[in-house]
Coordinates of all heavy atoms in Angstrom, one line a residue:
K1 N -6.4 -7.2 -14.2 CA -7.1 -8.4 -13.6 C -8.2 -7.9 -12.6 O -7.9 -7.1 -11.8 CB -6.0 -9.2 -12.9 CG -6.5 -10.4 -12.2 CD -5.3 -11.2 -11.6 CE -5.8 -12.3 -10.7 NZ -4.8 -13.0 -10.1
L2 N -9.4 -8.4 -12.7 CA -10.5 -8.1 -11.9 C -10.7 -9.2 -10.9 O -10.9 -10.3 -11.2 CB -11.7 -7.8 -12.7 CG -12.9 -7.2 -12.1 CD1 -12.6 -5.9 -11.4 CD2 -14.1 -7.0 -13.0
D3 N -10.7 -8.8 -9.6 CA -10.9 -9.8 -8.5 C -11.7 -9.3 -7.4 O -11.4 -8.3 -6.8 CB -9.5 -10.2 -8.0 CG -9.6 -11.3 -7.0 OD1 -10.5 -12.1 -7.0 OD2 -8.7 -11.4 -6.1
Q4 N -12.9 -9.8 -7.2 CA -13.8 -9.4 -6.1 C -14.1 -7.9 -6.0 O -13.9 -7.3 -4.9 CB -13.3 -10.0 -4.8 CG -13.2 -11.5 -4.7 CD -12.6 -12.0 -3.4 OE1 -12.2 -11.2 -2.6 NE2 -12.7 -13.3 -3.3
G5 N -14.4 -7.3 -7.1 CA -14.7 -5.9 -7.1 C -13.5 -5.0 -7.2 O -13.6 -3.8 -7.0
F6 N -12.3 -5.5 -7.4 CA -11.1 -4.8 -7.5 C -10.4 -5.0 -8.8 O -10.4 -6.1 -9.4 CB -10.1 -5.1 -6.3 CG -10.5 -4.7 -5.0 CD1 -11.2 -5.7 -4.2 CD2 -10.3 -3.5 -4.5 CE1 -11.6 -5.3 -2.9 CE2 -10.8 -3.1 -3.3 CZ -11.4 -4.0 -2.5
I7 N -9.7 -4.0 -9.3 CA -8.9 -4.1 -10.4 C -7.4 -4.2 -9.9 O -7.0 -3.4 -9.1 CB -9.0 -2.8 -11.4 CG1 -10.4 -2.7 -11.9 CG2 -8.0 -2.9 -12.5 CD1 -10.7 -1.4 -12.5
Q8 N -6.7 -5.2 -10.4 CA -5.4 -5.4 -9.9 C -4.4 -5.1 -11.0 O -4.5 -5.7 -12.1 CB -5.2 -6.9 -9.4 CG -3.9 -7.2 -8.7 CD -3.9 -8.6 -8.3 OE1 -4.5 -9.5 -8.8 NE2 -3.2 -8.9 -7.2
I9 N -3.4 -4.3 -10.7 CA -2.3 -4.0 -11.7 C -1.0 -4.4 -11.1 O -0.7 -4.1 -10.0 CB -2.3 -2.4 -12.0 CG1 -3.7 -1.9 -12.4 CG2 -1.2 -2.1 -13.0 CD1 -3.8 -0.4 -12.4
Q10 N -0.3 -5.2 -11.9 CA 1.0 -5.8 -11.4 C 2.1 -5.4 -12.3 O 1.9 -5.3 -13.6 CB 0.9 -7.3 -11.4 CG -0.1 -7.8 -10.4 CD -0.2 -9.3 -10.4 OE1 -0.2 -9.9 -11.5 NE2 -0.2 -9.9 -9.2
G11 N 3.3 -5.1 -11.8 CA 4.5 -4.8 -12.5 C 5.7 -5.4 -11.9 O 5.7 -5.6 -10.6
G12 N 6.7 -5.7 -12.7 CA 7.9 -6.3 -12.1 C 9.1 -5.5 -12.6 O 9.1 -4.7 -13.6
N13 N 10.2 -5.6 -11.9 CA 11.5 -4.9 -12.2 C 11.2 -3.4 -12.3 O 11.6 -2.7 -13.3 CB 12.1 -5.4 -13.5 CG 12.4 -6.9 -13.4 OD1 12.8 -7.4 -12.4 ND2 12.0 -7.6 -14.5
V14 N 10.5 -2.9 -11.3 CA 10.0 -1.5 -11.3 C 11.2 -0.5 -11.1 O 11.5 0.4 -11.9 CB 8.9 -1.3 -10.3 CG1 8.5 0.2 -10.3 CG2 7.7 -2.2 -10.6
L15 N 11.9 -0.7 -10.0 CA 13.1 0.1 -9.7 C 14.4 -0.6 -9.8 O 15.4 -0.1 -10.1 CB 13.0 0.7 -8.3 CG 11.8 1.7 -8.1 CD1 11.8 2.1 -6.6 CD2 12.0 2.9 -9.0
Q16 N 14.3 -2.0 -9.6 CA 15.5 -2.8 -9.7 C 15.1 -4.2 -10.1 O 13.9 -4.6 -9.9 CB 16.3 -2.8 -8.4 CG 15.6 -3.3 -7.2 CD 16.5 -3.2 -5.9 OE1 17.7 -3.2 -6.0 NE2 15.8 -3.1 -4.8
A17 N 16.0 -4.9 -10.6 CA 15.7 -6.3 -11.1 C 15.2 -7.2 -9.9 O 15.8 -7.2 -8.8 CB 17.0 -6.9 -11.7
G18 N 14.1 -7.9 -10.2 CA 13.5 -8.8 -9.2 C 12.5 -8.2 -8.3 O 11.9 -8.9 -7.5
D19 N 12.3 -6.9 -8.3 CA 11.2 -6.3 -7.4 C 9.9 -6.4 -8.1 O 9.8 -6.7 -9.3 CB 11.6 -4.9 -7.0 CG 11.6 -3.9 -8.1 OD1 11.2 -4.2 -9.3 OD2 11.9 -2.7 -7.8
S20 N 8.8 -6.1 -7.4 CA 7.5 -6.2 -7.9 C 6.6 -5.2 -7.2 O 6.9 -4.8 -6.0 CB 6.9 -7.6 -7.9 OG 6.6 -7.9 -6.5
M21 N 5.5 -4.8 -7.9 CA 4.6 -3.9 -7.3 C 3.2 -4.2 -7.8 O 3.0 -4.5 -9.0 CB 4.9 -2.4 -7.7 CG 4.0 -1.4 -7.2 SD 4.6 0.2 -7.7 CE 3.4 1.3 -6.8
T22 N 2.2 -4.3 -6.9 CA 0.8 -4.6 -7.2 C 0.0 -3.5 -6.6 O 0.2 -3.1 -5.5 CB 0.4 -6.0 -6.6 OG1 1.3 -7.0 -7.1 CG2 -1.0 -6.3 -7.1
I23 N -1.0 -3.0 -7.4 CA -1.9 -2.0 -7.0 C -3.3 -2.5 -7.2 O -3.6 -3.1 -8.2 CB -1.7 -0.7 -7.9 CG1 -0.3 -0.2 -7.8 CG2 -2.7 0.4 -7.5 CD1 0.1 0.9 -8.8
W24 N -4.1 -2.3 -6.2 CA -5.5 -2.6 -6.2 C -6.4 -1.4 -6.2 O -6.2 -0.5 -5.4 CB -5.9 -3.4 -5.0 CG -5.4 -4.8 -4.9 CD1 -6.1 -5.9 -5.3 CD2 -4.2 -5.3 -4.5 NE1 -5.4 -7.1 -5.1 CE2 -4.2 -6.7 -4.6 CE3 -3.0 -4.7 -3.9 CZ2 -3.1 -7.5 -4.2 CZ3 -1.9 -5.5 -3.6 CH2 -2.0 -6.8 -3.7
L25 N -7.3 -1.3 -7.2 CA -8.2 -0.2 -7.4 C -9.6 -0.7 -7.2 O -9.9 -1.8 -7.6 CB -8.1 0.5 -8.7 CG -6.7 0.9 -9.2 CD1 -6.7 1.4 -10.6 CD2 -6.3 2.1 -8.3
D26 N -10.5 0.1 -6.6 CA -11.9 -0.2 -6.5 C -12.5 -0.2 -7.9 O -12.3 0.8 -8.6 CB -12.6 0.8 -5.5 CG -14.0 0.4 -5.3 OD1 -14.8 0.5 -6.3 OD2 -14.4 0.1 -4.2
A27 N -13.1 -1.2 -8.3 CA -13.6 -1.3 -9.7 C -14.7 -0.3 -9.9 O -14.8 0.2 -11.1 CB -14.2 -2.7 -9.9
K28 N -15.5 0.1 -8.9 CA -16.6 1.1 -9.2 C -16.0 2.5 -9.1 O -16.3 3.3 -10.0 CB -17.7 0.9 -8.1 CG -18.6 -0.1 -8.4 CD -19.8 -0.1 -7.3 CE -20.8 -1.1 -7.6 NZ -21.9 -1.1 -6.7
T29 N -15.3 2.8 -8.1 CA -14.9 4.2 -7.9 C -13.5 4.5 -8.5 O -13.2 5.7 -8.7 CB -14.7 4.5 -6.4 OG1 -13.7 3.7 -5.8 CG2 -16.0 4.3 -5.6
R30 N -12.8 3.5 -8.9 CA -11.4 3.6 -9.4 C -10.4 4.3 -8.4 O -9.4 4.7 -8.8 CB -11.4 4.5 -10.7 CG -12.2 3.9 -11.8 CD -11.7 2.6 -12.3 NE -12.3 2.2 -13.6 CZ -13.1 1.2 -13.8 NH1 -13.4 0.5 -12.7 NH2 -13.6 0.9 -14.9
K31 N -10.8 4.3 -7.1 CA -9.9 4.8 -6.1 C -8.9 3.7 -5.7 O -9.3 2.5 -5.6 CB -10.7 5.2 -4.9 CG -11.5 6.5 -5.1 CD -12.1 7.0 -3.8 CE -12.8 8.3 -4.0 NZ -13.3 8.9 -2.8
Q32 N -7.7 4.1 -5.4 CA -6.7 3.2 -5.0 C -7.0 2.7 -3.6 O -7.4 3.4 -2.7 CB -5.4 4.0 -4.9 CG -4.2 3.2 -4.8 CD -2.9 4.0 -5.1 OE1 -2.9 4.8 -6.0 NE2 -1.9 3.8 -4.3
R33 N -6.9 1.4 -3.4 CA -7.2 0.7 -2.1 C -6.0 0.1 -1.4 O -6.0 0.0 -0.2 CB -8.3 -0.3 -2.3 CG -9.6 0.3 -2.6 CD -10.1 1.1 -1.4 NE -11.2 1.9 -1.8 CZ -11.4 3.1 -1.3 NH1 -10.6 3.7 -0.4 NH2 -12.5 3.9 -1.6
R34 N -5.1 -0.4 -2.2 CA -3.9 -1.1 -1.6 C -2.8 -1.1 -2.6 O -3.0 -1.2 -3.8 CB -4.3 -2.6 -1.3 CG -3.2 -3.4 -0.7 CD -3.8 -4.8 -0.4 NE -2.8 -5.7 0.0 CZ -2.6 -6.2 1.2 NH1 -3.3 -5.7 2.2 NH2 -1.6 -7.0 1.5
V35 N -1.5 -1.0 -2.1 CA -0.3 -1.2 -2.8 C 0.6 -2.1 -2.1 O 0.7 -2.0 -0.9 CB 0.4 0.2 -3.0 CG1 1.8 0.0 -3.7 CG2 -0.4 1.2 -3.8
E36 N 1.2 -3.1 -2.8 CA 2.1 -4.0 -2.2 C 3.4 -4.0 -3.0 O 3.3 -4.2 -4.2 CB 1.5 -5.4 -2.1 CG 2.3 -6.4 -1.3 CD 1.5 -7.7 -1.0 OE1 0.3 -7.6 -0.6 OE2 2.1 -8.7 -1.2
I37 N 4.5 -3.8 -2.3 CA 5.8 -3.7 -3.0 C 6.7 -4.7 -2.4 O 6.8 -4.8 -1.1 CB 6.4 -2.3 -2.8 CG1 5.5 -1.2 -3.3 CG2 7.8 -2.2 -3.4 CD1 5.8 0.2 -2.9
H38 N 7.4 -5.5 -3.2 CA 8.4 -6.4 -2.8 C 9.7 -5.9 -3.5 O 9.8 -5.9 -4.7 CB 8.1 -7.8 -3.2 CG 6.9 -8.4 -2.6 ND1 7.0 -9.1 -1.4 CD2 5.6 -8.3 -2.8 CE1 5.7 -9.5 -1.0 NE2 4.9 -8.9 -1.9
T39 N 10.7 -5.6 -2.7 CA 12.0 -5.1 -3.3 C 13.1 -5.6 -2.4 O 13.0 -6.5 -1.5 CB 12.0 -3.6 -3.4 OG1 13.1 -3.2 -4.2 CG2 11.9 -2.9 -2.1
F40 N 14.3 -5.0 -2.6 CA 15.5 -5.4 -1.9 C 16.3 -4.2 -1.4 O 16.3 -3.2 -2.1 CB 16.4 -6.3 -2.8 CG 15.7 -7.5 -3.3 CD1 15.1 -7.4 -4.6 CD2 15.7 -8.7 -2.6 CE1 14.4 -8.5 -5.1 CE2 15.0 -9.8 -3.1 CZ 14.4 -9.7 -4.4
L41 N 16.9 -4.4 -0.2 CA 17.8 -3.4 0.3 C 19.1 -4.1 0.7 O 19.0 -5.0 1.5 CB 17.2 -2.7 1.6 CG 18.1 -1.7 2.3 CD1 18.5 -0.5 1.3 CD2 17.5 -1.2 3.5
E42 N 20.2 -3.8 0.0 CA 21.4 -4.5 0.2 C 21.2 -6.0 0.1 O 21.7 -6.8 0.9 CB 22.0 -4.1 1.5 CG 22.3 -2.6 1.7 CD 22.8 -2.2 3.0 OE1 22.8 -3.0 4.0 OE2 23.2 -1.0 3.2
R43 N 20.5 -6.4 -1.0 CA 20.2 -7.8 -1.3 C 19.3 -8.5 -0.3 O 19.2 -9.7 -0.4 CB 21.5 -8.6 -1.5 CG 22.4 -8.1 -2.6 CD 23.6 -8.9 -2.8 NE 24.4 -8.3 -3.8 CZ 25.6 -8.9 -4.2 NH1 26.0 -10.0 -3.6 NH2 26.3 -8.3 -5.1
N44 N 18.7 -7.8 0.6 CA 17.8 -8.4 1.6 C 16.4 -8.0 1.3 O 16.1 -6.8 0.9 CB 18.2 -8.0 3.0 CG 19.5 -8.4 3.4 OD1 19.8 -9.6 3.4 ND2 20.4 -7.5 3.6
P45 N 15.4 -8.9 1.3 CA 14.0 -8.6 1.0 C 13.4 -7.5 1.9 O 13.6 -7.5 3.1 CB 13.3 -9.9 1.1 CG 14.2 -10.9 1.8 CD 15.6 -10.3 1.8
V46 N 12.6 -6.7 1.2 CA 11.8 -5.7 1.9 C 10.4 -5.8 1.3 O 10.2 -5.9 0.1 CB 12.4 -4.2 1.7 CG1 11.5 -3.2 2.4 CG2 13.8 -4.1 2.2
K47 N 9.4 -5.7 2.2 CA 8.0 -5.8 1.8 C 7.3 -4.5 2.4 O 7.4 -4.3 3.6 CB 7.3 -7.0 2.3 CG 5.9 -7.1 1.9 CD 5.2 -8.4 2.4 CE 3.8 -8.4 2.1 NZ 3.1 -9.7 2.7
A48 N 6.6 -3.8 1.5 CA 5.8 -2.7 2.0 C 4.3 -2.9 1.6 O 4.1 -3.3 0.4 CB 6.3 -1.4 1.4
V49 N 3.4 -2.7 2.5 CA 2.0 -2.8 2.2 C 1.3 -1.5 2.6 O 1.5 -1.1 3.8 CB 1.3 -4.0 2.9 CG1 -0.2 -4.0 2.6 CG2 2.0 -5.3 2.5
I50 N 0.7 -0.8 1.7 CA 0.0 0.4 2.0 C -1.5 0.2 1.7 O -1.9 -0.2 0.6 CB 0.6 1.6 1.1 CG1 2.1 1.7 1.3 CG2 -0.1 2.9 1.4 CD1 2.9 1.3 0.1
E51 N -2.3 0.5 2.7 CA -3.7 0.4 2.6 C -4.3 1.8 2.6 O -3.9 2.7 3.4 CB -4.3 -0.4 3.7 CG -3.8 -1.8 3.7 CD -4.2 -2.7 4.9 OE1 -4.7 -2.1 5.9 OE2 -4.0 -3.9 4.8
F52 N -5.3 2.1 1.7 CA -5.9 3.4 1.6 C -7.3 3.4 2.1 O -8.0 2.3 2.1 CB -5.9 3.8 0.1 CG -4.5 4.0 -0.4 CD1 -3.7 3.0 -0.8 CD2 -4.0 5.3 -0.5 CE1 -2.5 3.2 -1.3 CE2 -2.7 5.5 -1.0 CZ -2.0 4.5 -1.4
D53 N -7.8 4.5 2.5 CA -9.2 4.7 2.9 C -9.6 6.0 2.3 O -8.8 6.8 1.7 CB -9.3 4.8 4.4 CG -10.7 4.4 4.9 OD1 -11.6 4.3 4.1 OD2 -10.9 4.2 6.1
S54 N -10.9 6.3 2.4 CA -11.4 7.6 1.8 C -12.2 8.4 2.8 O -12.9 7.8 3.7 CB -12.4 7.3 0.6 OG -11.7 6.7 -0.4
L55 N -12.1 9.7 2.7 CA -12.9 10.5 3.6 C -14.3 10.6 3.0 O -14.5 10.5 1.7 CB -12.3 11.9 3.6 CG -10.9 12.0 4.2 CD1 -10.4 13.4 4.1 CD2 -10.9 11.6 5.7
P56 N -15.3 10.8 3.8 CA -16.7 10.9 3.2 C -16.7 12.1 2.2 O -16.3 13.2 2.5 CB -17.6 11.3 4.4 CG -16.8 10.8 5.6 CD -15.3 11.0 5.2
A57 N -17.1 11.7 1.0 CA -17.2 12.7 -0.1 C -15.9 13.4 -0.3 O -15.8 14.6 -0.6 CB -18.3 13.7 0.1
G58 N -14.8 12.7 -0.1 CA -13.5 13.4 -0.2 C -12.4 12.5 -0.8 O -12.7 11.4 -1.3
P59 N -11.2 12.9 -0.7 CA -10.1 12.1 -1.3 C -9.7 10.9 -0.5 O -10.1 10.7 0.6 CB -8.9 13.1 -1.3 CG -9.2 14.0 -0.1 CD -10.7 14.1 0.0
S60 N -8.9 10.0 -1.2 CA -8.3 8.9 -0.6 C -7.1 9.3 0.2 O -6.4 10.3 -0.2 CB -8.0 7.8 -1.6 OG -9.1 7.3 -2.2
F61 N -6.7 8.5 1.2 CA -5.5 8.8 1.9 C -4.8 7.5 2.4 O -5.5 6.5 2.4 CB -5.7 9.7 3.1 CG -6.7 9.1 4.2 CD1 -6.1 8.4 5.3 CD2 -8.0 9.2 4.1 CE1 -6.9 7.8 6.2 CE2 -8.9 8.6 5.0 CZ -8.3 7.9 6.1
M62 N -3.5 7.5 2.6 CA -2.8 6.3 3.1 C -3.3 6.1 4.6 O -2.9 6.9 5.5 CB -1.3 6.5 3.0 CG -0.8 6.5 1.6 SD 1.0 6.5 1.4 CE 1.7 7.0 2.9
A63 N -4.0 5.1 4.8 CA -4.5 4.8 6.2 C -3.6 4.0 7.0 O -3.4 4.2 8.2 CB -5.9 4.1 6.1
R64 N -2.8 3.1 6.4 CA -1.9 2.2 7.1 C -0.8 1.8 6.2 O -1.0 1.4 5.1 CB -2.7 1.0 7.7 CG -1.8 0.0 8.5 CD -2.7 -1.1 9.0 NE -1.9 -2.2 9.5 CZ -1.6 -2.4 10.7 NH1 -1.9 -1.5 11.6 NH2 -0.9 -3.4 11.1
T65 N 0.4 1.9 6.7 CA 1.6 1.4 6.0 C 2.4 0.5 6.9 O 2.6 0.8 8.0 CB 2.5 2.6 5.6 OG1 1.7 3.5 4.8 CG2 3.7 2.1 4.7
V66 N 2.7 -0.7 6.3 CA 3.6 -1.6 7.1 C 4.8 -2.0 6.2 O 4.6 -2.4 5.0 CB 2.8 -2.9 7.4 CG1 3.7 -3.9 8.1 CG2 1.6 -2.6 8.2
V67 N 6.0 -1.7 6.7 CA 7.2 -2.0 6.0 C 7.9 -3.1 6.8 O 8.2 -2.9 8.0 CB 8.1 -0.8 5.8 CG1 9.4 -1.2 5.1 CG2 7.4 0.3 5.1
D68 N 8.3 -4.2 6.2 CA 9.0 -5.3 6.9 C 10.4 -5.5 6.3 O 10.5 -5.6 5.0 CB 8.2 -6.6 6.7 CG 7.0 -6.7 7.5 OD1 7.1 -6.5 8.7 OD2 5.9 -7.0 7.0
Y69 N 11.4 -5.5 7.1 CA 12.8 -5.7 6.7 C 13.2 -6.9 7.6 O 13.6 -6.8 8.7 CB 13.6 -4.5 7.0 CG 15.1 -4.6 6.5 CD1 15.3 -4.9 5.2 CD2 16.1 -4.5 7.4 CE1 16.6 -5.0 4.7 CE2 17.4 -4.6 6.9 CZ 17.7 -4.9 5.6 OH 19.0 -5.0 5.1
Q70 N 13.1 -8.1 7.0 CA 13.3 -9.4 7.8 C 14.7 -9.6 8.3 O 14.9 -10.1 9.4 CB 12.9 -10.6 6.9 CG 11.4 -10.6 6.6 CD 11.0 -11.7 5.6 OE1 11.9 -12.5 5.2 NE2 9.8 -11.8 5.3
K71 N 15.7 -9.1 7.6 CA 17.1 -9.3 8.0 C 17.3 -8.8 9.4 O 18.0 -9.5 10.2 CB 18.0 -8.5 7.1 CG 19.5 -8.7 7.5 CD 20.4 -7.9 6.5 CE 21.8 -8.1 6.9 NZ 22.3 -7.1 7.9
D72 N 16.8 -7.7 9.8 CA 17.0 -7.1 11.1 C 15.7 -7.3 12.0 O 15.6 -6.6 13.0 CB 17.4 -5.7 11.1 CG 18.7 -5.5 10.5 OD1 19.6 -6.4 10.6 OD2 19.0 -4.4 9.9
A73 N 14.8 -8.1 11.5 CA 13.5 -8.3 12.3 C 12.9 -6.9 12.6 O 12.4 -6.7 13.7 CB 13.7 -9.1 13.5
L74 N 12.9 -6.0 11.6 CA 12.4 -4.7 11.7 C 11.0 -4.6 11.0 O 10.9 -5.0 9.9 CB 13.4 -3.7 11.1 CG 13.0 -2.2 11.1 CD1 13.0 -1.7 12.6 CD2 14.0 -1.4 10.3
Q75 N 10.1 -4.0 11.7 CA 8.8 -3.7 11.1 C 8.4 -2.3 11.5 O 8.4 -1.9 12.7 CB 7.7 -4.7 11.6 CG 6.4 -4.5 10.9 CD 5.3 -5.5 11.4 OE1 4.9 -5.5 12.5 NE2 4.9 -6.3 10.4
L76 N 8.0 -1.5 10.5 CA 7.6 -0.1 10.7 C 6.2 0.0 10.3 O 5.8 -0.4 9.2 CB 8.5 0.9 9.9 CG 8.1 2.3 9.9 CD1 8.3 2.9 11.3 CD2 8.8 3.1 8.9
I77 N 5.3 0.5 11.3 CA 3.9 0.6 11.0 C 3.5 2.1 11.2 O 3.8 2.6 12.3 CB 3.0 -0.3 11.9 CG1 3.4 -1.7 11.7 CG2 1.6 -0.1 11.7 CD1 2.8 -2.7 12.7
T78 N 2.8 2.7 10.3 CA 2.3 4.0 10.4 C 0.8 4.0 10.1 O 0.3 3.2 9.2 CB 2.9 5.1 9.5 OG1 2.7 4.7 8.2 CG2 4.4 5.2 9.8
E79 N 0.0 4.7 10.9 CA -1.5 4.7 10.7 C -1.9 6.2 10.7 O -1.4 7.0 11.5 CB -2.2 4.0 11.8 CG -1.9 2.5 11.7 CD -2.7 1.7 12.8 OE1 -2.9 2.2 13.9 OE2 -3.0 0.5 12.5
N80 N -2.9 6.5 9.8 CA -3.5 7.8 9.7 C -5.0 7.7 9.9 O -5.6 6.8 9.2 CB -3.2 8.5 8.3 CG -1.7 8.7 8.1 OD1 -1.1 9.3 8.9 ND2 -1.2 8.1 7.0
F81 N -5.6 8.5 10.8 CA -7.0 8.3 11.1 C -7.5 9.6 11.8 O -6.7 10.5 12.1 CB -7.2 7.1 12.0 CG -6.4 7.0 13.2 CD1 -6.9 7.6 14.4 CD2 -5.1 6.4 13.2 CE1 -6.1 7.6 15.6 CE2 -4.4 6.4 14.4 CZ -4.8 7.0 15.6
D82 N -8.8 9.6 12.1 CA -9.5 10.7 12.8 C -9.3 12.0 12.1 O -9.1 13.0 12.8 CB -9.0 10.8 14.2 CG -9.5 9.6 15.1 OD1 -10.5 9.0 14.7 OD2 -8.9 9.4 16.2
Y83 N -9.4 12.0 10.8 CA -9.4 13.3 10.1 C -10.7 14.1 10.4 O -11.8 13.5 10.5 CB -9.3 13.1 8.6 CG -7.9 12.7 8.2 CD1 -7.6 11.3 7.9 CD2 -6.9 13.6 8.1 CE1 -6.3 11.0 7.5 CE2 -5.6 13.2 7.7 CZ -5.4 11.9 7.4 OH -4.1 11.5 7.0
E84 N -10.6 15.3 10.6 CA -11.7 16.2 10.8 C -11.7 17.4 9.9 O -10.7 17.9 9.6 CB -11.7 16.7 12.3 CG -11.9 15.6 13.3 CD -12.0 16.1 14.7 OE1 -12.2 17.3 14.9 OE2 -11.7 15.3 15.6
R85 N -12.9 17.8 9.5 CA -13.0 19.0 8.7 C -12.8 20.3 9.6 O -13.4 20.4 10.7 CB -14.4 19.1 8.0 CG -14.6 20.3 7.3 CD -15.9 20.3 6.5 NE -15.6 20.5 5.2 CZ -16.2 20.1 4.1 NH1 -17.3 19.4 4.3 NH2 -15.9 20.3 2.9
T86 N -11.9 21.2 9.2 CA -11.8 22.4 9.9 C -12.5 23.5 9.2 O -12.7 23.5 8.0 CB -10.3 22.8 10.0 OG1 -9.7 22.9 8.7 CG2 -9.5 21.8 10.8
R87 N -13.0 24.5 9.9 CA -13.8 25.6 9.3 C -13.0 26.8 9.2 O -12.1 27.1 9.8 CB -15.0 25.8 10.1 CG -15.8 24.5 10.1 CD -17.3 24.8 10.3 NE -17.9 23.5 10.4 CZ -18.7 23.1 9.4 NH1 -19.0 23.8 8.4 NH2 -19.3 21.9 9.6

């Protein structure tokens, strides 16, 4: 599915019944830009959203990850930034 310059790939029942995963790719560069996962832990919903960025003339990397576990009102956020070239 193509939406606003992105290719969207969706799948269901990926690891267990009822879960889903959506991947967004940049239509021009084919680089991964976002992944959204809806699954369950002990029958409780879990949502993970991973956003990607790219280094100048370099690879893509996971820039931000947010995992929500509503049962315990738990949210885990990780961010990666300020990459520098070493010589």
